[in-house]
Amino acid sequence: MIDVADLTEAQAAEELTKLADQITHHDLAYHQNDAPEISDADYDALKRRNLAIEERFPHLIRENSPSMRVGAPRAEQFSAVEHGVPMLSLDNAFSDEDALEFDARIRRFLRLDETPIAYTAEPKIDGLSASLRYEKGILVQGATRGDGRVGEDVTANLRTLKDIPHRLSGSGWPDVIEVRGEVYLGHAEFAALNAAAMEAGDRTYANPRNAAAGSLRQIDSTITAKRPLRFFAYAWGLVSEKFAETQWEALAKLKAWGFQTTPQSTCVQGADGLLAAYAVLERERPNLGYDIDGVVYKVDRLDWQQRLGFVSRAPRWGIARKFPAEQARTVLEAIDLQVGRTGAVTPVARLKPVTVGGVTVTNATLHNADEIARKDLHIGDTVVVQRAGDVIPQVVEAIPELRPAGAAPYEFPTHCPCPLQTPLARETTAGGAETVVRRCTGELACPFQRIEHLKHFVSRRAFDIEGLGEKQLQGFYDEGLIREPADIFTLAERDKVSLKKLKDRERAGETSVANLFAAIETRRTIPLDRFIYGLGIRHIGEQTALVMARGYGTAAEFLAAMDKVAAGDEEAVAELDAMDQIGDAVIQAAAAFFAEDHNRGMVQRLSDQLTVLDAEKPKTDTAVAGKTVVFTGALERMTRDEAKAQAEGLGAKVASSVSKKTDLVVAGPGAGSKLKTATELGIQVMTEDEWLAMVAG
Ligand code: IVH
């Protein structure tokens, strides 16, 4: 890479364009898809380079330069919420010197004498910020930060958090207040969520922060409700009246109104206090059970905060003192490819074991082929590995000076590492653009995908076969006894006539084999939605499987429809498309799956073994059957989840935004933009009580 000082103007212009594209791409991956493709450190390096070039060539600064943005624009599936007061960010400090300079700067600005300034020192929670609007003590709207000015309306999702009060307790709250804080996920909850996702063959999250963001930004709030997200309040935006003199007093009030505030926050005096608070939190960090990435210092007196004000996007009265990332050097011994259930291939670095921040690291994800090329990794390289908030360690860079002689750059394999060595294909988006994902094209002919597929099939939320965990399954697979789902259900029959009985095998006693056969028998009868989910078709998760099961009713209908979808039958495709929340990705995945003879054969052999229970068809004889209903504002007699379940039980569809397709809007206190849209579109609106009376009658 050319030194910024040596760039010609033309090179600088070209690089700024490239950097803007790259940064935008990574912003979207991070903020909208909650699936970062590069480490925070690499992202910061791109931003720093962009800034350095802009500093040397200020006239080349683009109007939409990445240096002018905070976060990313909201995703389209959520409606927009304009924050009453923008949600800005904090400048960073990285050393004791930076912290001392912060104190000195404030002193100069306020022209203070030597008397120490009081500051709060609060853990910097590593989650995503949210703003909660309360009117007369009632939660009326919740939003993500978005680009700082306009966020996403995630009210229904935020209401599912147990740390977020629907009504404020105590008294003395302003008539209108935007309470701000951090939504986060604890380490234990993150590990459990990823373990369940892994077992189910679903995507896993890189770290608790991405998992929190992904969980909060669900279209279906019942999914958010299942994720144990938590919330700490630490700030506020718009307020109708002043409610505290100091930050410390404000934190106490937030607590009294029913919020959680960080127990480790302290109020300290002067620069010495700032440094001491940092040292304490750095020591406490491993014991907290959730990620913090630094300490936030804030001038305690709010009248001083007011005087200090803001410079561009950050306040003068506060700063985030970041913890350094925990890093170590080790040797990259090999790069292996892992093949997932749907064939996506992930390169994994095998490292000489090294301790990083108290944890022994032996593997690190390398994300994808582009990432390896960008870091120019050679096998045998000494590399810097890092754990920075992220549970999964990352390879930051190679150290070329320490490269052994003769080490060649890593060449990404062109074929799957399975015995079949099927070619790897670079995945393209629906629009035809290449993505960074490479996929094994062998599908179920690839033994790696087969075993992952079987693991998914027996997982807890699919067929849930007790006694047939990953280890046992691998054993049966290796022996050739189970190669596809149907084999599980013929295992007992085959064992009867086998000369080498399962019960006589090493470690497998008679009772445990009998128990396994019994467990398999209980699953021979299975609800249609679990059957569909168990097939492990890409993009067909539990919720989609349920929607399809309800839509088709019986296994026969489902299978007949899938054959037609695979053949491109327009009517069948339209029928599937009309189902709630089903879009192109699902249709394409279903069509591709059922177009393959071996998949159809596999499904047929499986269904021959099973009794698939019909799904409960939605009721058709109620006042709301077939109607699309939107709940908005606060509900006072039932929770959102109850309301949704009740409406669905009566055959209605519940949507999260109002459109021409909406038949009915149930509006509670504080209903905002959705109510307005409903009125504009002439859609029927009723109160919660009117709704309850209607469905009761
Ligand atoms: S105060 C004007 N306090 O850090 C900004 N922020 O880089 C006021 N954060 O967007 C923010 N813990 O997501 C504040 N105790 C804390 C915090 C905190 C985490 C996050 C927040 C903010 C970012 C600033």
Side-chain angles (χ1 to χ4, degrees):
M1 203 185 294
I2 310 173
D3 231 41
V4 174
D6 300 331
L7 285 174
T8 65
E9 186 167 334
Q11 283 170 329
E14 191 184 331
E15 201 175 334
L16 285 178
T17 312
K18 229 165 84 191
L19 283 165
D21 284 351
Q22 282 176 332
I23 294 171
T24 307
H25 170 85
H26 292 303
D27 276 344
L28 290 178
Y30 183 102
H31 290 285
Q32 292 204 359
N33 309 330
D34 305 312
E37 291 165 13
I38 58 174
S39 68
D40 289 359
D42 289 341
Y43 176 82
D44 288 344
L46 293 177
K47 292 266 279 204
R48 269 202 305 276
R49 173 111 183 144
N50 186 74
L51 211 59
I53 302 178
E54 285 181 348
E55 260 166 29
R56 219 194 116 205
F57 300 96
H59 59 286
L60 293 181
I61 297 180
R62 305 155 59 88
E63 209 173 280
N64 59 351
S65 162
S67 58
M68 315 285 234
R69 289 198 299 262
V70 196
R74 71 185 174 86
E76 271 175 11
Q77 64 262 39
F78 299 105
S79 36
V81 174
E82 188 165 348
H83 302 301
V85 166
M87 293 180 79
L88 301 175
S89 70
L90 292 167
D91 278 340
N92 291 328
F94 295 100
S95 61
D96 280 356
E97 289 71 49
D98 289 353
L100 297 178
E101 170 52 28
F102 168 68
D103 175 61
R105 209 162 46 229
I106 287 169
R107 214 171 261 301
R108 280 197 301 274
F109 190 94
L110 296 176
R111 298 183 193 285
L112 296 179
D113 60 17
E114 291 302 299
T115 329
I117 302 178
Y119 294 101
T120 61
E122 308 169 19
K124 185 170 186 303
I125 311 298
D126 198 6
L128 72 150
S129 46
S131 184
L132 309 166
R133 186 180 169 101
Y134 288 84
E135 290 177 10
K136 301 208 181 315
I138 293 177
L139 174 62
V140 296
Q141 191 163 56
T144 62
R145 177 161 79 168
D147 65 4
R149 195 181 64 78
V150 178
E152 297 156 321
D153 185 342
V154 285
T155 314
N157 298 358
L158 283 166
R159 275 186 210 280
T160 68
L161 271 66
K162 70 171 179 18
D163 290 346
I164 294 184
H166 292 196
R167 266 168 204 279
L168 299 180
S169 331
S171 59
W173 17 264
D175 241 15
V176 178
I177 178 167
E178 289 175 341
V179 174
R180 294 188 173 162
E182 205 82 353
V183 174
Y184 69 101
L185 195 62
H187 291 153
E189 291 77 15
F190 167 71
L193 179 65
N194 260 2
M198 190 97 83
E199 198 192 323
D202 294 341
R203 65 181 277 204
T204 53
Y205 291 102
N207 56 47
R209 181 190 52 211
N210 295 130
S215 300
L216 184 63
R217 300 169 71 257
Q218 292 284 335
I219 302 179
D220 178 354
S221 61
T222 60
I223 300 182
T224 310
K226 289 186 198 137
R227 311 269 172 97
L229 293 175
R230 305 186 43 198
F231 181 80
F232 277 127
Y234 51 64
W236 58 96
L238 182 78
V239 276
S240 53
E241 61 251 46
K242 199 168 105 179
F243 65 96
E245 302 288 335
T246 63
Q247 168 73 10
W248 192 241
E249 185 193 351
L251 288 176
K253 292 245 161 109
L254 289 169
K255 190 156 196 283
W257 298 338
F259 292 99
Q260 301 294 322
T261 52
T262 45
Q264 300 76 21
S265 291
T266 47
C267 191
V268 300
Q269 299 291 330
D272 293 346
L274 296 180
L275 303 192
Y278 175 83
V280 169
L281 272 167
E282 194 174 34
R283 211 181 50 225
E284 283 296 305
R285 186 184 183 190
N287 311 322
L288 296 180
Y290 46 84
D291 279 344
I292 64 172
D293 58 344
V295 183
V296 179
Y297 299 140
K298 299 175 188 169
V299 170
D300 193 35
R301 274 180 60 167
L302 299 181
D303 57 338
W304 284 358
Q305 285 196 8
Q306 183 84 38
R307 276 174 60 196
L308 285 154
F310 292 80
V311 235
S312 72
R313 297 178 291 106
R316 257 193 217 93
W317 47 258
I319 201 159
R321 167 92 194 264
K322 299 289 269 287
F323 293 131
E326 292 163 313
Q327 292 192 334
R329 284 183 180 193
T330 187
V331 175
L332 174 64
E333 294 183 326
I335 296 177
D336 289 343
L337 296 189
Q338 263 174 8
V339 186
R341 166 168 63 85
T342 58
V345 168
T346 314
V348 179
R350 304 291 179 208
L351 304 165
K352 187 159 172 233
V354 63
T355 316
V356 190
V359 175
T360 307
V361 171
T362 49
N363 301 319
T365 173
L366 291 169
H367 302 288
N368 54 56
D370 291 14
E371 175 91 351
I372 300 175
R374 211 162 45 78
K375 293 188 172 143
D376 186 29
L377 297 180
H378 295 42
I379 306 297
D381 267 349
T382 295
V383 290
V384 176
V385 280
Q386 158 171 306
R387 290 177 59 239
D390 297 356
V391 171
I392 305 170
Q394 284 157 348
V395 173
V396 180
E397 60 182 0
I399 301 169
E401 303 87 83
L402 299 179
R403 179 165 291 158
Y410 177 75
E411 294 233 8
F412 204 86
T414 49
H415 291 75
C416 180
C418 72
L420 292 178
Q421 307 209 329
T422 6
L424 296 179
R426 203 164 172 140
E427 188 171 78
T428 48
T429 62
E434 282 201 330
T435 73
V436 289
V437 179
R438 290 184 198 207
R439 223 171 260 287
C440 165
T441 50
E443 308 227 346
L444 292 183
C446 165
F448 289 167
Q449 285 181 64
R450 243 169 201 251
I451 186 77
E452 290 303 318
H453 192 263
L454 281 165
K455 284 181 196 165
H456 169 79
F457 183 82
V458 300
S459 67
R460 204 164 37 81
R461 289 181 301 191
F463 273 66
D464 190 20
I465 297 177
E466 210 174 311
L468 196 54
E470 293 197 359
K471 220 171 93 207
Q472 293 82 353
L473 197 58
Q474 186 77 52
F476 286 127
Y477 186 86
D478 292 343
E479 283 180 65
L481 287 171
I482 295 178
R483 283 297 162 96
E484 63 168 47
D487 295 343
I488 296 172
F489 296 95
T490 60
L491 191 63
E493 278 303 308
R494 283 182 288 138
D495 197 50
K496 272 190 204 152
V497 296
S498 164
L499 294 177
K500 206 170 149 228
K501 301 255 186 269
L502 286 180
K503 68 179 169 54
D504 300 330
R505 290 193 323 176
E506 223 184 319
R507 287 201 315 267
E510 195 157 340
T511 36
S512 73
V513 173
N515 287 346
L516 173 63
F517 289 164
I520 292 173
E521 272 322 294
T522 61
R523 292 291 181 263
R524 206 179 275 281
T525 303
I526 195 92
L528 179 57
D529 59 315
R530 281 197 180 230
F531 171 76
I532 298 175
Y533 175 66
L535 297 180
I537 302 166
R538 265 180 91 192
H539 301 300
I540 303 192
E542 261 181 305
Q543 180 65 26
T544 309
L546 187 62
V547 170
M548 290 173 89
R550 287 193 182 143
Y552 292 119
T554 68
E557 288 275 337
F558 163 73
L559 293 172
M562 289 302 105
D563 278 345
K564 287 190 193 156
V565 168
D569 179 300
E570 278 178 26
E571 214 172 295
V573 170
E575 186 189 8
L576 180 55
D577 199 14
M579 290 183 196
D580 196 24
Q581 295 174 32
I582 288 188
D584 283 350
V586 170
I587 296 171
Q588 275 178 23
F593 185 89
F594 284 96
E596 290 290 341
D597 283 345
H598 59 255
N599 288 342
R600 276 212 307 275
M602 182 274 280
V603 176
Q604 189 57 55
R605 287 188 290 279
L606 172 64
S607 44
D608 287 349
Q609 294 295 327
L610 302 175
T611 305
V612 182
L613 299 174
D614 294 350
E616 229 178 88
K617 283 247 186 192
K619 293 211 170 95
T620 51
D621 55 352
T622 69
V624 292
K627 300 214 163 141
T628 300
V629 182
V630 172
F631 292 94
T632 182
L635 294 179
E636 292 171 318
R637 313 244 317 246
M638 53 188 171
T639 65
R640 277 290 164 121
D641 286 346
E642 277 168 357
K644 186 166 189 269
Q646 183 193 49
E648 284 175 350
L650 294 166
K653 269 194 229 161
V654 178
S656 53
S657 60
V658 176
S659 71
K660 277 189 220 138
K661 290 194 197 143
T662 312
D663 296 300
L664 176 63
V665 171
V666 181
S673 60
K674 289 182 196 169
L675 178 57
K676 201 166 144 240
T677 317
T679 323
E680 279 163 12
L681 293 173
I683 293 165
Q684 187 186 2
V685 177
M686 58 173 66
T687 64
E688 186 182 358
D689 284 342
E690 284 167 346
W691 160 264
L692 288 170
M694 180 178 80
V695 298

